[in-house]
């Protein structure tokens, strides 16, 4: 049921067109139509006209939206526009041209404060046909009428209505699709022809005229036909005919009114062909009669061009051009005694072309007086346009009582309670012998309304740049066109425009110039009380244009003038702000100052004025391909650089905050025009920062938005004018810019080719790569014998690729000519030529194809042109039958393989074998199913009985890589020198982990770079080895410098209590390593199968005790450090150094690993130390957990309780893997604890599983042999026994925030760093603040295992200074919810290659959505430990959290409950693969229940166990037992 006119009209518009332009107040604010349109589009509701779902394009109301109609119209598409009437007047230049196209504009009259019909009357001469509806049912019927009329006449139609008029109408049934189809006439819509290619101008008349055949049928015949026809063409065809002259449109004439009953034409054009002529008003009337006849026959509802309701003997009538609802109700309820009891009501269904004859015919002959009510607020003439129309129409109308008197009234807002009174007033005036003309009825101002949603507003997301301007320039900042600024007598819209701002800046500059003259005159005057002001004024005047000097001395000048007290001093002080040199800026934005990107730039550049412009571009990279060619963004930067006199910068705050600061400062210093192009992409104004970040990265990385600065003044210092700041892809962007220089002028000359020229480069490269690869294979196979077999794989984790390559080798051994390629690398057009094709695919996400097979599948599933009848095929799929446990999700199991098998069969492929299904739940994982499938394939191909097959070598394992690496050297040095790629070899990727670095690629950019023919955006993560998480201020400064110089300008404080850098490209990797070494730090053994960074409780409330513990941790760390010299040799030694090492047996370096041996450990090894009562290091979660025990005095360290076998790594749905908490071995004195750690590690080295890395951690070794056996083996090596464990107590595993004082009087402040990400943003300059503090701090920086930071060792003398700096940079803010303070997340997307879902970038958003519930239930201050990871490897130790979310697919998480608040108990699976909506549906009621039902002091994890929501996990091996949601078997 349609409940509003907007809904009814939106549905008709959607069904009746190919493209709907939804014009909205903002992209995040719905119009009367847009919510419904977007719902239809999201559900892919099929249209009647469009073969597929129509395209719905959202546009802001202030971006010249009707410009977007030309391209689809000229390509032969039917277009509808849904908009408020506020758009019409600014669009007048387009309306005159659009009137000659079959476009329908549905207009909801803008209530500001009441609907103003002058928006309609002002454009009545534009050539459009105008239809007006009043009720909900009329809105539906006349919307359909409008579309049918546009199709049949080829003319533009504007359908307008007041939505408030039908607000109280009852809902109506949806339109009948068959009626829509019948009224529109689908045959006519398909006959629309695209405009010839040479008609591309949007600003010059292209000669388009709506015409019809001269041999038109008679009116009587046409009333029974489909409409007007053109001889020789299908009905409704629009015939394009250029004209040589202009003329008026339908409904227009040289007079004010076109009420003359003679037919009017759409153009006075001369047309060469005698077979066509322009559409006339009579044609429109006849078409309307035909359309309304069809609607009447189907529904019984009838319509006329003018509707009269009332008595047939009425003597008076109201003609209302405005909101009629209240009048209709009042007239219907009139009493016989009322003056208006026998009054008639007239409304216009068809406003233009105006048919005066129809109006006269609609009136009863008895009517002698007509009151015309016009709801027109903006009058430009004495007599209203409707009054003139009515007067002209009735001038010859005969009446039973003589001529008809017509009286005009101005209709304003009328309260429902006063309608009766208003009608009485109207009719009393009408009854006068000489009525008053233009009498106002109702209030002109109307009721109080909420703020106008169509007013100019700056989106919140754009505030980032405003905040940076405020931070950089402070009180000096002057925004000439700031939104909301008070400008007397100037509307907000005009005052916010760049043109107004530029004018006000010029006026302000003139004012200051005069002021400088006044100051110079005053300096020579003797009118001051003393001579002091004169000297200061002279000093100021000499430096009036010098920013630095004048802003320094201005306060002193003002102070001297204030003390003087003379009249001249008072006069100067009236303009005291001019003593400062302002930083003056103009702002432009797609959202509210759109035109600065057009003519405004030229005005500023041409003036040469010292004006700074900040232009915000919000078009997302992902939308750039679909952009309308007629609306393509101008290259403002290139234009300004070519102008030659301007500073130009292209910046993106979500890519490089530092570069934004540099650009703004340089722009301010530049003496002349400055243009700063600022990128801030968003689809809607309320998009999350994550969305903006991802879009920014794509645009910058792929060259769509290069970061650069252009400063013409650099020539004076012999420096280059152009500085490219997109460091990571500098070479690629240089090539892009060279190419762009060649193409820009060509694109400007031929705009219609612009999209192809600018975007085909990447797709052409990609196609060329595919073709060359395929041709190379073909050439190689030419020389071989046997049948050709092509193997195409899609693989995310390498398993499908490995299977494909192995199958290829086995095929060659059987005499087949095999070719192995990724699906996306294969040219699809060759598929029908293949004799044998084998597909092997794994399963990603929610039953999706892996990354390198998605484009292939998208093409295959949509095509109907591939004939595979000559192709034999088979499919093998890899998946996990337990991965999606719910019944409704079971179909995701191996879905890509099943879908591909069915599709190839549909396209005619001959199946060699049934689809093979590899299941990770089988005993040998996917190998079980594969072992059954492969023999069937060979049998079908007739090569199953081949003898003498060679023996296959075993696959290379990590153990092989380590033993062959020559003590971790491998070919790392050679790989670093290879400039042909940003990557290193697969084996070296395993080895560099031992050196503290992982190769990664930016997963936000994978798809787009692949589409551009580029390799993935490879970069490296570097992790430092930072014992105990303690860094000096100088080390902090060096880490800050490294992150800015070599990384992505951020630092990550990790859950391993150390620094991590991301985005380091290969060419900078060695320099970054050396920079870390320069700070007396290292990265060796920060990763890899060795003992890693040792963690220690960070908050030294007992400083001496903590110092003892930290000393022991350093002793353990040094003792267990690998001995290989490969690290020094690869990263630190100069290539031309004279350093030499002794080599024997050829090139083998003499090296030794006394603890680890050549194969090191089976898997990673982690040690942590906790200092009770704080378990802030999660001591139970590591291979070795040491619990510090104090001596009898409670002041110094005595020894440690030793836990072993903790570990977090898990594989989803593989019950052989599980997290585990450490088992207690006992107590051992501190003096030999480093030896204890060594012996535990050696037992793991010798007994750990080296055949299965998923079973290689110490936790499995202990469970396999038992804790007692393991303890005995350690004691055997130690030659000593463990004592009984000493008592201890943990109270929490979260950080203790705020200020603490130790026993020596030193102060320590633990600050909140959300998820450990140290970066600068416009809202929070955290990185800058910490850098400034490090310059003056005398103590330490202590990183916490929960990713926060402790500023340690602040003496009382420095306390006020440090507190002031913390406040200045907002680092002292701890006013966060207890849930947020207790949360933690791993990095996940975009850099982690193992991530299945977001984590660090999403957890803050999820917590924000829960904090309202916390507030409502009084839980804001309560600590609830919540953790999130992007995969089950457990970097943020989620399995110990009270509530945890572990990524399973993008946007989907497993939810775990019941972890111990002290970190002592594992949680358990509660729900699998749930999305955000379900997470919130679970958490909000649960938090409310916790608030109401918890016992005194009861923690959340204990609560969910007590109420029976989840069973407790008593040990790691029972982690998968008694889960709340049993995992069902797959298909």
């Amino acid at each position: 049921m349609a409940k509003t006119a907007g809904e009814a009209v939106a549905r008709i518009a959607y069904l009746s067109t190919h493209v709907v332009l939804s014009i909205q107040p903002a992209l995040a604010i719905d119009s009367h139509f847009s919510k419904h349109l977007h719902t239809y589009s999201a559900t892919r509701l099929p249209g009647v006209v469009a073969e597929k779902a129509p395209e719905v394009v959202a546009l802001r109301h202030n971006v010249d939206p009707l410009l977007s109609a030309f391209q689809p119209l000229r390509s032969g598409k039917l277009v509808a526009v849904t908009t408020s009437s506020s758009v019409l007047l600014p669009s007048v230049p387009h309306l005159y041209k659009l009137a000659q196209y079959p476009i329908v504009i549905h207009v909801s009259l803008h209530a500001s404060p009441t609907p103003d019909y002058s928006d309609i009357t002002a454009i009545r001469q534009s050539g459009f046909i105008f239809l007006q509806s009043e009720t909900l049912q009329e809105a539906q019927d006349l919307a359909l009428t409008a579309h049918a009329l546009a199709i049949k006449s080829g003319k533009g139609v504007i359908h307008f209505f007041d939505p408030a008029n039908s607000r109280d109408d009852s809902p109506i049934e949806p339109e009948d699709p068959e009626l829509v189809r019948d009224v529109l006439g689908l045959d006519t819509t398909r006959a629309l022809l695209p405009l010839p290619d040479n008609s591309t101008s949007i600003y010059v008349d292209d000669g388009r005229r709506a015409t019809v055949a001269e041999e038109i049928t008679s009116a009587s015949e046409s009333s029974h036909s489909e409409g007007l026809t053109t001889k020789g063409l299908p009905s409704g065809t629009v015939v394009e005919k250029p004209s040589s002259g202009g003329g008026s449109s339908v409904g227009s004439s040289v007079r004010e009114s076109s009420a003359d009953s003679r037919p009017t034409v759409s153009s006075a054009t001369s047309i060469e062909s005698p077979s066509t002529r322009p559409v006339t008003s009579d044609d429109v009337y006849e078409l309307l009669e035909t359309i309304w006849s069809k609607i009447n026959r189907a529904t019984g509802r009838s319509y006329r061009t003018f509707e009269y309701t009332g008595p047939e003997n009425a003597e008076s009538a109201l003609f209302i051009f405005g909101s009629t609802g209240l009048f209709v109700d009042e007239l219907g309820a009139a009493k016989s005694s009322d003056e208006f009891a026998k009054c008639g009501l007239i409304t216009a269904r068809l406003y233009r072309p105006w048919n005066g004859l129809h109006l006269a015919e609609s009136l009863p002959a008895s009517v002698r007086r007509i009151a015309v009510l016009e709801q027109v607020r903006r009058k430009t003439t004495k007599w209203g346009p409707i009054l003139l129309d009515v007067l002209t129409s009735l001038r010859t109308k005969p009446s039973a009582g003589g001529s008809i008197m017509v009286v005009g009234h101005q209709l304003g807002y009328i309260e429902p309670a006063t309608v009766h009174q208003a009608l009485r007033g109207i009719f009393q005036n009408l009854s006068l012998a000489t009525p008053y003309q233009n009498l106002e009825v109702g209030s002109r101002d109307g009721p109080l309304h909420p703020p106008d949603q169509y007013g100019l507003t700056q989106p919140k997301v754009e505030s980032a740049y405003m905040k940076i301007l405020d931070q950089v320039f402070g009180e000096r900042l002057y925004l000439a066109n700031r939104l909301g600024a008070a400008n007397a007598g100037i509307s907000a819209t005009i005052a916010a425009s760049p043109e107004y701002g530029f004018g006000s800046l010029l006026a302000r500059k003139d004012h200051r110039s005069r002021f400088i003259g006044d100051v110079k005159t005053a300096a020579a005057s003797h009118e001051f009380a003393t001579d002091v002001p004169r000297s200061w004024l002279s000093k100021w005047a000499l430096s009036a244009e010098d920013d630095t000097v004048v802003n320094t001395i201005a306060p002193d000048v003002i102070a001297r003038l204030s003390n003087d007290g003379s009249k001249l001093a008072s006069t100067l002080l009236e303009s005291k702000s001019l003593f400062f040199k302002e930083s003056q800026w103009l702002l432009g934005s797609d959202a509210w100052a759109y035109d600065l990107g057009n003519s405004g730039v030229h005005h500023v550049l041409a003036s040469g004025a010292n004006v700074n412009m900040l232009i915000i571009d919000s078009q997302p990279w992902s939308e750039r391909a679909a952009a309308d060619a007629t609306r393509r963004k101008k290259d403002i930067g290139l234009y300004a650089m070519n102008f030659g006199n301007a500073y130009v910068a292209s910046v993106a705050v979500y890519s490089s905050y530092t570069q934004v600061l540099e650009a703004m400062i340089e722009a301010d210093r530049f003496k002349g025009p400055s243009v700063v192009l600022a990128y801030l992409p968003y689809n809607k104004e309320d998009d999350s920062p994550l969305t903006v970040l991802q879009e920014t990265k794509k645009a910058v990385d792929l060259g769509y938005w290069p970061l650069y600065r252009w400063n013409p003044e650099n020539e004076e210092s012999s420096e280059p004018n152009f500085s490219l700041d997109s460091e990571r892809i500098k070479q690629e962007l240089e090539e892009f810019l060279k190419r762009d220089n060649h193409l820009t002028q060509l694109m400007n000359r031929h705009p219609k080719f612009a999209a192809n020229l600018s975007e085909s480069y990447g797709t052409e490269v990609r196609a060329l790569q595919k073709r060359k690869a395929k041709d190379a294979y073909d050439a190689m196979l030419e020389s071989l014998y046997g049948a050709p077999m092509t193997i195409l794989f899609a693989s995310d984790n390498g398993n499908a690729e490995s299977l494909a390559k192995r199958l290829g080798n086995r095929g060659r051994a059987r005499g087949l000519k095999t070719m192995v390629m990724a699906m996306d690398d294969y040219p699809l057009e060759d598929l029908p030529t293949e004799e044998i094709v084998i597909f092997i695919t794994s399963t990603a996400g929610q039953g999706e194809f892996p990354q390198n097979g998605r484009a292939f599948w998208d093409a295959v599933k949509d095509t109907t042109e591939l004939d595979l009848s000559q192709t034999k095929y088979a499919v093998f799929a890899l998946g996990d039958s337990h991965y999606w446990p719910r019944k409704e999700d079971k179909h995701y199991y191996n879905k890509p393989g099943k879908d591909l098998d069915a599709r190839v069969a549909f396209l005619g492929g001959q199946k060699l074998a049934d689809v093979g299904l590899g299941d990770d739940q089988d005993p040998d994982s996917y190998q079980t199913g594969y072992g059954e499938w492969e023999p069937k394939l060979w049998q079908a191909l007739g090569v199953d009985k081949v003898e003498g097959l060679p023996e296959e070598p075993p696959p290379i394992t990590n153990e092989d890589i380590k033993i062959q690496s020559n003590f971790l050297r491998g070919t790392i040095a050679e790989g670093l020198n290879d400039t042909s790629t940003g990557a290193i070899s697969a084996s070296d990727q395993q080895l560099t982990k031992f050196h503290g670095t992982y190769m990664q690629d930016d997963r936000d950019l994978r798809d787009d770079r692949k589409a551009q023919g580029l390799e993935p955006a490879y970069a490296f993560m570097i992790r430092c080895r930072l014992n105990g998480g303690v860094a000096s201020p100088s080390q902090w400064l060096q880490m800050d410098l490294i992150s800015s110089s070599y990384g992505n300008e951020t630092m990550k404080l990790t859950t391993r209590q150390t620094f991590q850098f991301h985005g380091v490209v290969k060419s900078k990797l060695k320099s970054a390593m050396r920079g870390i070494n320069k700070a007396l730090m290292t990265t060796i053994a920060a990763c890899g199968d060795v003992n890693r960074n040792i963690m220690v409780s960070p908050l030294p409330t007992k400083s001496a005790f903590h110092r003892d513990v930290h000393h022991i941790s350093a002793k353990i760390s040094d003792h267990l450090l690998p001995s290989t010299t490969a690290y020094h040799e690869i990263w630190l030694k100069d290539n031309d150094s004279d350093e030499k090492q002794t080599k024997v047996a050829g090139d083998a370096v003499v090296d030794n690993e006394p603890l680890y041996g050549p194969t090191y450990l089976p898997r990673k090894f982690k040690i942590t130390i906790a200092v009770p009562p704080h378990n802030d290091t999660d001591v139970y979660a590591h291979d070795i957990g040491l619990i510090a025990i104090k001596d009898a005095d409670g002041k110094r360290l005595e020894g440690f309780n030793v836990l072993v076998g903790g570990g977090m790594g898990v594989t989803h749905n593989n019950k052989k893997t599980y997290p585990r908490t450490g088992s207690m071995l006992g107590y051992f004195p501190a003096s030999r604890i480093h030896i204890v750690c060594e012996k535990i590690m050696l037992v793991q080295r010798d007994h750990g599983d080296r055949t299965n890395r998923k079973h290689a951690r110490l936790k499995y070794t202990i469970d396999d042999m038992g804790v007692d056996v393991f303890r005995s083996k350690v004691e055997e090596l130690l030659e000593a026994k463990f004592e009984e464990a000493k008592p201890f107590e943990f109270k929490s595993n979260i950080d203790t925030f705020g200020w603490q004082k130790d026993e020596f009087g030193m102060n320590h402040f633990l600050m909140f760093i959300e998820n450990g990400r140290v970066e600068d943003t416009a809202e929070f300059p955290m990185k800058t603040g910490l850098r400034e503090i490090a310059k003056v701090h005398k103590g330490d920086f202590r990183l916490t295992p929960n990713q926060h930071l402790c500023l340690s060792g602040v003496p009382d003398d420095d306390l006020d200074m440090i507190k002031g700096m913390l406040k200045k940079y907002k680092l002292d803010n701890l006013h966060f919810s207890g849930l947020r303070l207790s949360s933690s997340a791993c990095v996940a997307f975009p850099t982690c290659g193992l991530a299945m879902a977001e984590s660090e970038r999403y957890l803050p958003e999820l917590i924000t959505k829960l904090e309202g519930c916390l507030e409502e239930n009084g839980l804001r201050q309560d600590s609830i430990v919540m953790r999130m990871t992007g995969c089950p490897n457990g970097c943020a130790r989620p399995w110990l959290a009270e509530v945890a979310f572990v990524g399973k697919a993008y946007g989907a998480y497993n939810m775990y409950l019941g972890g111990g608040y002290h970190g002592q108990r594992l949680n358990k699976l509660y729900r699998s693969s749930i999305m955000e909506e379900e997470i919130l549906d679970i958490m909000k009621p649960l938090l409310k229940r916790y608030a109401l039902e918890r016992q005194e002091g009861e923690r959340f994890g204990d609560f969910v166990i007590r109420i029976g929501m989840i069973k407790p996990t008593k040990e790691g091996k029972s982690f998968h037992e008694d889960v709340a949601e049993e995992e069902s078997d797959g298909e």
Side-chain angles (χ1 to χ4, degrees), residues 809-1086:
N809 291 333
R810 291 178 176 179
R812 276 191 287 273
R814 285 169 165 77
L816 300 173
K817 295 188 292 186
T818 61
M819 176 179 72
V820 181
M821 297 180 75
M823 291 182 187
D824 280 2
D825 290 335
Y826 181 83
L828 185 62
E829 63 271 15
D830 285 2
L831 196 58
T833 67
E834 299 288 354
E835 185 176 335
I836 302 168
V837 182
I838 310 300
F839 302 98
I840 299 180
T841 178
S842 56
T843 306
Q846 289 182 286
E848 300 161 1
F849 269 77
Q851 201 95 22
N852 56 358
R854 289 179 187 172
F856 177 87
W857 169 242
D858 288 342
V860 168
K861 74 177 180 180
D862 291 336
T863 185
T864 56
E865 299 177 358
L866 287 179
D867 180 5
L868 303 183
S869 58
Q870 303 303 312
T871 302
K872 299 175 182 177
Y873 80 97
V875 178
F876 185 78
L878 294 81
D880 186 337
S881 61
H882 283 191
Y883 199 83
W884 299 99
R886 295 181 295 194
K887 291 182 179 179
E888 61 267 29
D889 295 334
K890 287 173 63 175
H891 67 285
Y892 291 139
Y893 168 61
N894 273 325
K895 186 175 186 295
K898 295 175 184 176
D899 289 349
L900 184 58
D901 179 68
R903 186 62 184 169
V904 174
F906 173 80
L907 294 171
Q910 304 174 39
K911 189 177 297 190
L912 291 166
D914 289 337
V915 60
L917 302 178
D919 189 350
D920 282 350
Q921 297 302 316
D922 286 340
D924 294 324
S925 187
Y926 60 86
Q927 298 285 2
T928 301
Y930 183 79
E932 299 171 356
W933 174 82
E934 186 183 316
K936 298 176 183 177
L937 174 65
W938 301 137
Q939 184 178 7
L941 292 173
V943 293
D944 54 320
K945 302 188 183 303
V946 177
E947 298 180 357
L949 293 175
E951 188 172 324
E952 292 182 355
I956 297 176
T957 65
N958 280 63
E959 296 302 309
D960 298 324
I961 292 172
K962 286 186 284 187
I963 202 166
Q964 295 170 13
S965 71
N966 193 9
F967 293 95
L968 307 183
R969 288 173 177 81
T971 58
I972 296 173
E974 293 82 354
L976 293 175
N977 292 328
D978 181 4
T979 59
S980 66
T981 176
I984 56 176
S985 69
S987 59
D988 286 341
Q989 289 175 40
Q990 298 301 318
L991 296 175
T992 52
K993 295 178 183 179
F994 291 81
H995 297 259
T997 181
Y998 280 71
M999 191 186 88
Q1000 301 174 328
D1001 77 288
D1002 195 322
R1003 296 176 66 181
D1004 284 344
L1005 306 174
R1006 272 186 188 173
D1007 289 345
D1008 293 288
R1009 287 184 66 87
K1010 188 169 187 177
Q1012 294 288 311
L1014 303 173
E1015 72 175 5
Y1018 292 120
F1020 289 78
M1021 178 273 284
I1022 301 176
R1023 184 182 297 153
C1024 293
R1025 185 182 179 91
L1026 187 65
N1027 179 60
V1030 179
S1032 67
S1034 62
Q1035 288 175 324
W1036 182 276
L1037 288 172
Q1038 183 68 5
M1039 297 302 101
D1040 180 276
L1041 179 63
I1042 289 168
S1043 69
S1044 297
S1045 302
Y1046 306 117
N1048 63 359
E1049 300 187 15
T1050 74
M1051 290 189 292
K1052 174 76 170 177
L1053 311 184
T1054 77
T1055 54
R1056 292 298 308 162
Q1057 207 175 11
T1058 186
F1059 296 102
Q1060 200 161 281
F1061 307 105
H1062 293 273
V1064 182
V1065 294
K1066 188 170 75 172
S1067 61
K1068 294 184 176 182
L1069 189 56
K1070 196 167 185 178
S1071 298
M1073 293 290 207
R1074 290 183 173 186
I1076 293 169
N1077 184 71
K1078 183 179 178 181
L1080 303 180
M1081 295 165 65
T1082 185
T1083 67
I1084 190 170

Side-chain angles (χ1 to χ4, degrees), residues 185-467:
L186 285 186
D187 291 341
T188 66
T189 64
R190 295 194 181 101
L192 293 170
L193 302 176
L195 195 69
D197 288 344
N198 59 356
S199 301
T200 56
S201 171
I202 58 172
Y203 298 109
V204 180
D205 191 350
D206 56 21
R208 162 99 186 190
R209 295 294 181 269
T211 58
V212 293
E214 191 68 50
E215 298 84 355
I216 188 168
T217 59
S218 67
S220 60
E221 293 172 337
S222 65
S223 65
H224 302 290
S225 65
E226 283 299 310
L228 303 180
T229 60
T230 301
K231 184 177 181 180
L233 292 176
S235 174
T237 299
V238 176
V239 179
E240 303 292 344
K241 194 69 179 177
S243 69
S244 59
S248 61
S249 302
V250 168
S252 68
S253 85
V254 294
R255 303 186 305 276
E256 177 65 20
S257 171
S258 60
D260 194 331
S261 60
R262 293 171 297 174
T264 57
V265 300
S266 63
S267 172
T269 181
S270 59
I271 301 177
E272 297 178 8
S273 171
S275 62
T276 61
R277 62 170 176 75
V279 177
T280 69
S281 55
D282 276 348
D283 299 331
V284 175
Y285 305 147
E286 291 167 6
L287 288 170
L288 270 177
E289 184 180 348
T290 302
I291 294 166
W292 283 341
S293 294
K294 288 191 174 185
I295 293 176
N296 178 255
R297 289 196 298 269
T299 67
R301 297 187 291 270
S302 61
Y303 296 99
R304 300 179 62 193
T305 53
F306 291 96
E307 295 284 352
Y308 172 83
T309 56
E312 289 302 321
N313 61 346
E315 296 181 358
S316 302
L318 292 179
F319 187 109
I320 302 180
F321 192 71
S323 303
T324 61
L326 294 176
F327 292 103
V328 171
D329 294 341
E330 191 66 27
L331 290 173
K335 300 177 182 178
S336 59
S337 59
D338 291 332
E339 294 91 331
F340 47 85
K342 294 183 179 181
C343 169
L345 179 66
I346 314 161
T347 53
R349 291 284 168 268
L350 176 67
Y351 173 50
R352 282 297 186 271
W354 182 276
N355 191 314
L357 182 59
H358 284 195
L359 173 59
E361 291 174 348
S362 68
L363 294 173
S366 57
V367 171
R368 296 194 301 273
R369 293 173 180 256
I370 297 178
V372 176
L373 275 62
E374 299 181 70
Q375 197 164 322
V376 177
R377 297 182 62 231
R378 294 192 300 271
K379 282 186 59 180
T380 57
T381 60
K382 180 178 180 180
W383 309 110
I386 307 301
L387 176 63
L388 293 175
D389 282 340
V390 174
L391 282 170
T392 307
S393 301
L394 301 180
R395 63 188 173 184
T396 59
K397 163 74 174 173
S399 173
S403 62
I404 299 177
M405 177 182 290
V406 180
V407 182
H409 297 74
Q410 300 301 313
L411 181 60
Y413 173 75
I414 300 176
E415 290 281 354
T418 63
V419 177
H420 187 91
Q421 180 182 347
L423 280 172
R424 286 186 60 196
I426 293 169
F427 279 90
Q428 286 173 1
N429 182 52
L430 193 61
S431 65
L432 295 175
T434 308
Y436 293 98
Q437 292 285 357
N438 290 329
L439 186 70
E440 290 195 7
V441 180
S443 167
R444 177 176 289 272
D445 296 330
L448 293 177
H449 272 250
D452 183 4
Q453 63 176 356
Y454 281 88
L456 293 181
T457 56
Q458 183 179 355
K460 182 179 179 181
V461 69
E462 289 188 8
S463 65
Y465 288 108
M466 304 304 105
K467 290 179 179 178

Side-chain angles (χ1 to χ4, degrees), residues 74-126:
R74 286 173 171 160
S75 63
K77 294 180 179 178
L78 291 175
V79 176
V81 179
T82 60
T83 181
S84 158
S85 56
S86 63
V87 167
L88 298 178
L89 282 178
S91 301
V92 164
H94 300 313
L95 290 176
Y96 282 94
K97 290 186 287 295
L98 288 173
Q100 305 302 327
Y101 289 88
I103 183 174
V104 176
I105 303 177
H106 296 287
V107 178
S108 168
L109 287 162
H110 183 40
S112 181
T114 57
D116 185 2
Y117 283 69
S118 62
D119 288 334
I120 300 298
T121 60
I123 61 169
R124 64 191 182 280
Q125 311 289 20
S126 62

Side-chain angles (χ1 to χ4, degrees), residues 491-570:
S491 73
T493 301
I494 294 175
S497 69
E499 288 89 344
Y500 178 87
F502 181 44
S504 70
L505 276 183
L506 295 180
R508 195 170 182 84
K509 288 179 182 294
D510 289 342
H511 187 188
R512 193 168 190 274
S513 296
R514 293 194 301 272
F515 181 74
I516 293 172
D518 293 342
V519 170
K520 291 179 179 178
T521 301
S525 170
H526 296 284
E527 299 179 24
F528 293 106
T530 67
D531 289 337
V532 174
R534 294 175 58 197
S535 61
W536 279 96
L537 289 174
S538 298
K539 184 178 180 182
W540 182 90
L542 290 172
S543 306
E545 297 297 339
D546 188 322
D547 300 6
T548 304
V549 176
V550 77
N551 290 324
T552 301
I553 66 175
D556 292 320
V557 175
I558 294 170
R560 268 48 175 200
L561 289 173
S562 300
N563 294 334
D564 186 78
S566 65
K567 182 178 180 181
L568 180 57
S570 299

